[in-house]
Amino acid sequence: IDDVRGAVFLPDGRVASVGADHQLKVWHTGDALDRTAACHETETLRKRTMRLRGPGWSNPSSLTAAHRTPLAATAEFTVQQQPPRPPGSDEPPPQPKYDGVVRLWNTESAALRGTINVPGVLLNDVALTADVSHLAVAGADGVVKIFKLDGAEEVAQCRGHQGPAKGPQYRGTGVTSVAFHLDGQSLASAGQDGTIRVWNLAGQEQFQLTPAAGVTRLAFHPDGTMLAAGFADRTVRLWSLADRKEIRTLKRHYGAITNLKFNADGSRLAVTSTRYDYERQRWTGDLKVWDVASGRRIVSTPAHTWHDAHLAFHPTLPHIAIGSGIEHTVQVRHADTGRLVLSIPTSGYEVG
């Protein structure tokens, strides 16, 4: 089943998605996004340009792409097989062990540019600096690791978040999200321990915010003055980085926040959230778009979602890509109205 684990717009407007079918796909939208007035909600984009497969591909957990260069990074993890307990043994079952890997892709040539191994860690998130000089991964063990892409060298570890409270690592424990400041000299991390920590590239903690437990996602404002954080309590909070004071809280999201992104000029903030619908016995979610300056809600619409829904703004057009699970599609919606512009199926196709 091709559950979508991430979706991003590339600098040239193409859409990239990564799914549980162990494929990174790049979709050519043609002129479809420029024909928004003629598109209908049932219109489906079916053209593909490439599929990227890496040797020994594992379980993808996150996808990010550079803003100005044709580079994408996928965070993945494998589960090491553990020997079974001997018959009649009273010993507890062995805990699962994980190995993380980040793959770097050239999205124009479909070539694998490099691999960064992170042994012993289940990876929750990955982020790139704007100049594509550094990469950071968020681990379920509570540690953020920073790598220099030139040589794939680990240059720092950010330690301070708590790992899993008990038991093994699993997705959503430890560090849940990581994001670089636009200047590339600092990064923020969100922890299941309820803290948001800001670090320099040497791994030294600059300051921390302790708003509440259940921090799920982070995003820096494009001008570098503000930090947004999503929470499991259905809220999004905005902080001023100058005085580290909370600016406002955005409330009444449908469920726990799964992702949030600013648009290119920072005037809009898109947020996806999810919760389990017991009556329909499925996960459901919504998309909200907020005016950052006023805190006014511009869009509120149902949208397919899952625990780890990803979203991204188009670099030049007022469109948002949302990639997530159960419909096995990437939706493209208009950022001002929420109208469905395109629905991109991500399963059931051969290489085009």
Side-chain angles (χ1 to χ4, degrees):
I1 297 175
D2 184 17
D3 288 344
V4 182
R5 303 289 176 82
V8 294
F9 276 111
L10 300 177
D12 59 6
R14 290 177 299 160
V15 176
S17 69
V18 64
D21 65 347
H22 306 161
Q23 306 256 1
L24 173 64
K25 304 171 188 175
V26 178
W27 306 82
H28 177 64
T29 58
D31 65 346
L33 295 183
D34 295 324
R35 296 184 293 106
T36 55
C39 289
H40 302 287
E41 290 190 351
T42 57
E43 180 173 358
T44 300
L45 182 70
R46 297 181 181 276
K47 186 177 181 181
R48 305 158 317 286
T49 55
M50 64 182 73
R51 276 177 155 182
L52 311 181
R53 179 182 289 276
W57 188 285
S58 47
N59 300 294
S61 60
S62 187
L63 167 68
T64 190
H67 296 295
R68 301 181 182 89
T69 57
L71 177 71
T74 55
E76 311 156 30
F77 63 92
T78 58
V79 183
Q80 301 176 16
Q81 296 295 325
Q82 301 298 309
R85 289 181 299 172
S89 172
D90 293 331
E91 294 293 323
Q95 301 289 356
K97 295 182 179 180
Y98 301 93
D99 284 320
V101 61
V102 176
R103 301 190 202 276
L104 303 170
W105 302 93
N106 184 311
T107 55
E108 288 183 345
S109 66
L112 181 65
R113 283 186 45 174
T115 300
I116 298 174
N117 293 307
V118 191
V121 181
L122 189 160
L123 300 180
N124 285 322
D125 199 13
V126 60
L128 289 164
T129 55
D131 63 1
V132 199
S133 63
H134 290 77
L135 174 147
V137 292
D141 60 349
V143 180
V144 175
K145 295 185 177 182
I146 304 174
F147 296 85
K148 190 174 181 180
L149 290 189
D150 184 11
E153 175 190 3
E154 182 180 320
V155 295
Q157 293 188 3
C158 306
R159 295 181 175 271
H161 290 291
Q162 298 176 11
K166 59 181 178 179
Q169 300 177 36
Y170 60 91
R171 294 208 46 205
T173 62
V175 183
T176 57
S177 181
V178 63
F180 278 103
H181 192 278
L182 186 63
D183 64 10
Q185 300 304 306
S186 60
L187 68 156
S189 58
Q192 191 193 34
D193 59 2
T195 65
I196 298 169
R197 300 169 188 260
V198 177
W199 318 80
N200 63 22
L201 294 188
Q204 299 168 327
E205 185 176 318
Q206 305 300 289
F207 64 90
Q208 70 171 274
L209 304 168
T210 53
V215 192
T216 58
R217 281 290 165 181
L218 295 175
F220 279 105
H221 192 276
D223 69 5
T225 63
M226 190 185 306
L227 179 68
F231 295 86
D233 66 0
R234 302 166 55 184
T235 65
V236 172
R237 304 180 190 185
L238 305 177
W239 281 272
S240 165
L241 294 177
D243 56 16
R244 303 170 196 174
K245 292 184 178 180
E246 185 175 325
I247 300 171
R248 66 172 52 89
T249 299
L250 307 176
K251 301 180 179 180
R252 297 182 180 178
H253 293 91
Y254 181 76
I257 307 304
T258 54
N259 218 311
L260 71 173
K261 287 289 191 301
F262 289 100
N263 66 349
D265 66 9
S267 62
R268 300 285 187 267
L269 178 67
V271 182
T272 53
S273 65
T274 188
R275 71 183 181 199
Y276 191 74
D277 186 327
Y278 287 94
E279 183 176 340
R280 293 194 289 172
Q281 296 187 354
R282 59 179 290 183
W283 289 91
T284 56
D286 76 343
L287 166 72
K288 285 182 169 56
V289 180
W290 301 86
D291 179 82
V292 174
S294 66
R296 179 175 60 90
R297 188 176 64 199
I298 299 170
V299 169
S300 180
T301 183
H304 69 184
T305 190
W306 193 245
H307 296 290
D308 49 2
H310 283 244
L311 75 160
F313 277 94
H314 190 282
T316 57
L317 299 175
H319 294 128
I320 302 169
I322 311 169
S324 57
I326 53 178
E327 286 93 356
H328 320 306
T329 60
V330 175
Q331 294 181 354
V332 179
R333 291 183 174 271
H334 198 285
D336 295 331
T337 65
R339 182 174 61 84
L340 183 63
V341 177
L342 291 173
S343 180
I344 305 174
T346 60
S347 60
Y349 296 103
E350 299 302 323
V351 178

